[in-house]
Amino acid sequence: MAINPIPPTVRLALMTILCGLPSGGSLAEDLPAENMPAENAASAPITGPRELLRRWGIDDSCFARLIDGRPVGDDENETLLKVLFRIRGFAKTDLQRWARPELNLPELLRDPEAPRGEVFRLSGRVASVEVRRPLAEVVERCEFDRYYRCEFLLGEDEQPAVIFARNVPKAWREGGSFDEPSGALGVLLKFAGDAERPTPVFVAPRVAWYPDTLLGRLGMDVGLLDDLVDRKGLTSRDREAFYQMHAAMARAEPGKLLRDAKKQLQTAADELKRTDKEGDEYYSVVPLFNRPAAQRGRLVALRGTVRRVVRVGVGDEDIRERFGIDHYYNIYLFPDDAQHNPVVFSVRELPPGMPTGDGPDYG
């Protein structure tokens, strides 16, 4: 097979470390679709979240038991837990499509029962997290033994809100006080608080974390990195983190990643009081293999020779719809200090003229 000529050495800035692969392993040629609950809604088109909940047995009578103007009481826990249980079955594409972009409280409070069960896009800061545990006899039916009550401050005016979530970042799972940028796609349950400052109460599959780091500033939920497992190939469990990281990297302005990586190297050199004027331009690959968990989410720059490039088509409609990703490339880079072990770069685009393929003549 004819190979277009390319320079023998290709320089690349690694988007960020996702997870360490087993020796000789590779990045999945296409990540499997996310596992969805076996019992899904009927095949007829669903027009909105309230209809989906109704098909799962959470009808108007369940929402009628909710009382505004007070915190969620024991007599409302059944509805709360039912929604928490069922929200895992909401497809992410549906949550995004149904989500209202703004929370206009004055408008919603004109008829507070009408928006119950609707999805809202929430953005702000998490102030505290409390771990909640269902009663023992409820755990078997709910299929989860804990959930989280998050006190939230929405937007610039810091409107108080409460989000009950199935999952939160690992750093918050023991509960406590926080002040962290975060967000969620939440189903409105009711309004707590008093008439002067009503507090909307939501149910969400998870609360996202956007810390003041490269990935957080680029809009990736950094909490997704918590549950990745090193030395195993990427699986459906890693799917959301993988594609969110791709989307985040695409939002970085051209050249920024490499500039930031070199700036980090210079800072590290200054802290070590190095005497050489130039310093290193690229990172050692050794920590990526020896201490992969400590490198996760870290920006690095590597230099080496590419021996294989594979184009991977993305067949999952939800990924194409949510992120606009219909393909990516796996680039197998062999740095000089990697002892013939490749590092896999997953990228959206190739340099102009760079061919896909492999074999003894590719490099």
Side-chain angles (χ1 to χ4, degrees):
M1 179 179 66
I3 299 294
N4 296 330
I6 61 173
T9 302
V10 177
R11 298 182 178 186
L12 299 168
L14 184 59
M15 58 182 194
T16 48
I17 302 303
L18 184 64
C19 64
L21 296 171
S23 178
S26 64
L27 204 61
E29 299 303 285
D30 192 6
L31 286 176
E34 183 180 35
N35 292 329
M36 294 298 294
E39 51 172 338
N40 217 326
S43 57
I46 304 293
T47 59
R50 189 69 176 259
E51 181 182 345
L52 182 57
L53 290 170
R54 188 178 297 116
R55 294 191 184 192
W56 280 332
I58 306 172
D59 56 17
D60 294 346
S61 66
C62 292
F63 284 98
R65 298 180 193 135
L66 303 174
I67 301 174
D68 291 323
R70 69 175 196 181
V72 176
D74 292 342
D75 54 338
E76 299 170 308
N77 273 340
E78 182 179 356
T79 299
L80 168 64
L81 293 176
K82 280 183 176 180
V83 178
L84 271 171
F85 171 68
R86 289 299 185 182
I87 201 166
R88 67 173 186 168
F90 279 63
K92 292 183 175 67
T93 47
D94 288 339
L95 280 172
Q96 289 199 357
R97 183 168 59 252
W98 292 334
R100 299 192 191 184
E102 295 182 0
L103 187 72
N104 189 331
L105 281 183
E107 178 183 332
L108 297 177
L109 289 170
R110 292 193 190 104
D111 184 5
E113 294 186 10
R116 289 177 180 173
E118 295 298 315
V119 179
F120 291 83
R121 189 178 302 276
L122 309 173
S123 178
R125 305 184 73 83
V126 65
S128 68
V129 176
E130 177 188 351
V131 183
R132 294 281 184 94
R133 299 182 184 276
L135 296 174
E137 59 267 25
V138 179
V139 170
E140 185 174 351
R141 288 190 289 120
C142 289
E143 299 182 8
F144 58 89
D145 61 359
R146 62 167 58 190
Y147 60 98
Y148 303 89
R149 181 186 182 277
C150 306
E151 293 191 357
F152 215 76
L153 299 175
L154 295 171
E156 295 181 358
D157 61 351
E158 298 188 340
Q159 163 65 44
V162 172
I163 302 176
F164 289 96
R166 287 283 300 267
N167 199 5
V168 297
K170 186 176 181 180
W172 307 349
R173 290 177 190 168
E174 299 303 317
S177 298
F178 302 94
D179 182 19
E180 293 290 342
S182 51
L185 293 174
V187 172
L188 179 63
L189 205 62
K190 57 175 277 183
F191 293 94
D194 55 34
E196 292 186 2
R197 193 109 196 229
T199 303
V201 178
F202 300 91
V203 175
R206 67 173 287 115
V207 175
W209 182 24
Y210 305 110
D212 188 20
T213 62
L214 172 67
L215 288 175
R217 291 190 296 270
L218 289 174
M220 178 180 173
D221 176 7
V222 175
L224 293 170
L225 301 179
D226 293 337
D227 299 323
L228 301 180
V229 179
D230 289 317
R231 308 196 185 282
K232 290 186 177 180
L234 290 171
T235 67
S236 60
R237 180 176 173 178
D238 313 314
R239 176 176 181 268
E240 187 67 15
F242 179 80
Y243 287 114
Q244 275 207 28
M245 186 177 286
H246 259 297
M249 294 299 99
R251 290 190 283 268
E253 62 183 70
K256 176 176 174 54
L257 299 181
L258 187 55
R259 291 195 302 270
D260 284 1
K262 290 187 175 183
K263 189 181 299 183
Q264 289 177 184
L265 271 177
Q266 185 59 54
T267 299
D270 292 343
E271 290 175 354
L272 292 172
K273 301 184 187 302
R274 292 176 49 155
T275 57
D276 54 317
K277 295 182 180 179
E278 295 296 330
D280 294 329
E281 291 189 4
Y282 296 91
Y283 288 72
S284 168
V285 77
V286 175
L288 305 183
F289 288 99
N290 292 347
R291 295 184 294 110
Q295 317 305 317
R296 187 173 295 133
R298 180 188 180 197
L299 178 67
V300 302
L302 297 177
R303 175 179 178 173
T305 302
V306 171
R307 295 294 181 191
R308 184 186 183 208
V309 178
V310 179
R311 185 185 188 278
V312 181
V314 177
D316 294 339
E317 188 61 33
D318 78 308
I319 298 300
R320 298 161 70 101
E321 181 177 338
R322 288 192 293 137
F323 302 118
I325 300 175
D326 59 9
H327 73 279
Y328 57 88
Y329 298 91
N330 286 339
I331 300 178
Y332 294 74
L333 180 78
F334 289 79
D336 292 340
D337 58 346
Q339 299 180 2
H340 306 293
N341 292 306
V343 175
V344 183
F345 286 71
S346 181
V347 301
R348 298 279 295 277
E349 298 177 356
L350 295 177
M354 185 175 185
T356 59
D358 56 12
D361 296 327
Y362 189 102

